[in-house]
Amino acid sequence: MRFEIITVFPDQISQFIEFGIFRIAKEVNVAQFNVHDLRSWTNDIHKSVDDRPYGGGAGMVLKVEPIAKAISSIQTENSKVIAFTAQGETMNQKMFRNYSDSEELDQLILLCGHYEGFDQRILENFVDQEISLGDFVLSGGEIPALTFMDGITRLLPGVLGNNESHRDESFENSSLEYPHYTRPDSFNNWDVPKVLLSGNHKEIQKWREQKSKEITESRRPDLLD
Ligand SMILES: C[S@@+](CC[C@H](N)C(=O)[O-])C[C@H]1O[C@@H](n2cnc3c(N)ncnc32)[C@H](O)[C@@H]1O
């Protein structure tokens, strides 16, 4: 998968993708991350990417021309354009799974908004999907873009090694994951559940399924629906 991130703060993204799963995904050659400065598609001396809103009001709006130019110079055939907006569909694990499993798609163009957001004509004419990080307002689309890339990248083949552990994780099977413990087996008289020390894999599996059910019922009963 090739991620093309269009932003007015390229350094915010460039720093982040040097580490962790982004670095691994580049090394195992399953993902590429190309960061683009939106200002490189401006012609004026100030490199303006925004302007005042028609109708008045506070804040500035991202202009259509630089984004139109950016998309047309980057976009390839099997591509989707995503804009991060507070009005978009809320990001979730199913979305990550669909994008990471997609065989026909090889490019995702990610538009990070700023200021008051995008000129509506960008959203209506270039964007395939608007995605929100949640019911709150952030100052820019970079953190949602990084979250989105992280969620997809860790599911790409080879990124977590041969480890298919993400198949058991929270949200994969409409449930939350069971609790984990590691050494020591007792700390401050807080003991690890005995069954986990038993070596009995069938019982351990049963305990984990039960805990996953309990935690899902108490914290996220909506997932069970
Ligand atoms: C200050 S916000 C604009 C908020 C917009 N005026 C509104 O009320 O919905 C600037 C940019 O941050 C990003 N952003 C803010 N909140 C977001 C969210 N919950 N999910 C995704 N992107 C968000 C978007 O790219 C947005 O264009």
Side-chain angles (χ1 to χ4, degrees):
M1 182 67 78
R2 215 165 56 252
F3 295 93
E4 314 278 357
I5 309 104
I6 301 177
T7 166
V8 287
F9 290 114
D11 290 348
Q12 276 192 351
I13 307 276
S14 306
Q15 298 277 323
F16 214 92
I17 58 178
E18 290 307 312
F19 301 97
I21 52 123
F22 297 113
R23 187 180 53 78
I24 296 168
K26 286 186 275 184
E27 281 169 9
V28 298
N29 214 13
V30 290
Q32 262 181 47
F33 306 92
N34 300 321
V35 188
H36 307 276
D37 185 347
L38 181 59
R39 293 186 198 280
S40 28
W41 284 283
T42 56
N43 295 324
D44 64 306
I45 189 161
H46 301 296
K47 298 189 177 292
S48 324
V49 291
D50 57 337
D51 207 335
R52 284 166 300 166
Y54 278 121
M60 300 291 271
V61 176
L62 282 175
K63 288 156 67 74
V64 66
E65 299 102 311
I67 290 185
K69 280 189 199 156
I71 292 172
S72 73
S73 65
I74 292 171
Q75 194 162 33
T76 54
E77 211 172 303
N78 303 316
S79 168
K80 268 198 188 237
V81 179
I82 288 168
F84 296 99
T85 69
Q87 296 79 26
E89 191 184 334
T90 308
M91 225 177 269
N92 60 33
Q93 189 66 20
K94 192 168 167 207
M95 199 182 266
F96 295 159
R97 177 65 65 195
N98 288 342
Y99 278 116
S100 67
D101 282 349
S102 169
E103 278 171 15
E104 64 273 16
L105 198 63
D106 51 37
Q107 183 191 48
L108 284 168
I109 299 180
L110 309 184
L111 304 180
C112 305
H114 260 277
Y115 321 117
E116 277 309 307
F118 300 97
D119 183 311
Q120 185 61 22
R121 291 167 290 184
I122 298 168
L123 301 174
E124 286 175 9
N125 297 294
F126 296 109
V127 169
D128 296 297
Q129 190 176 16
E130 285 181 51
I131 297 181
S132 165
L133 190 55
D135 291 350
F136 40 77
V137 175
L138 302 169
S139 55
E142 287 72 17
I143 292 172
L146 286 166
T147 307
F148 180 75
M149 292 195 296
D150 184 306
I152 295 173
T153 301
R154 64 192 299 281
L155 300 179
L156 295 173
V159 174
L160 298 180
N162 289 327
N163 176 352
E164 282 283 296
S165 62
H166 52 77
R167 298 262 169 206
D168 279 344
E169 281 179 330
S170 294
F171 307 109
E172 284 291 343
N173 304 304
S174 303
S175 60
L176 299 178
E177 202 188 34
Y178 49 81
H180 298 280
Y181 297 86
T182 185
R183 276 181 279 268
D185 58 7
S186 185
F187 177 79
N188 276 354
N189 283 332
W190 303 323
D191 295 336
V192 171
K194 287 220 158 23
V195 62
L196 298 180
L197 310 176
S198 69
N200 184 333
H201 295 293
K202 212 166 144 201
E203 285 305 308
I204 292 171
Q205 183 59 20
K206 223 164 93 187
W207 180 89
R208 287 179 168 166
E209 281 168 15
Q210 180 57 28
K211 287 290 163 193
S212 163
K213 190 163 167 263
E214 283 168 19
I215 200 166
T216 310
E217 278 168 357
S218 74
R219 295 189 189 180
R220 291 295 304 276
D222 56 298
L223 293 177
L224 300 167
D225 299 340

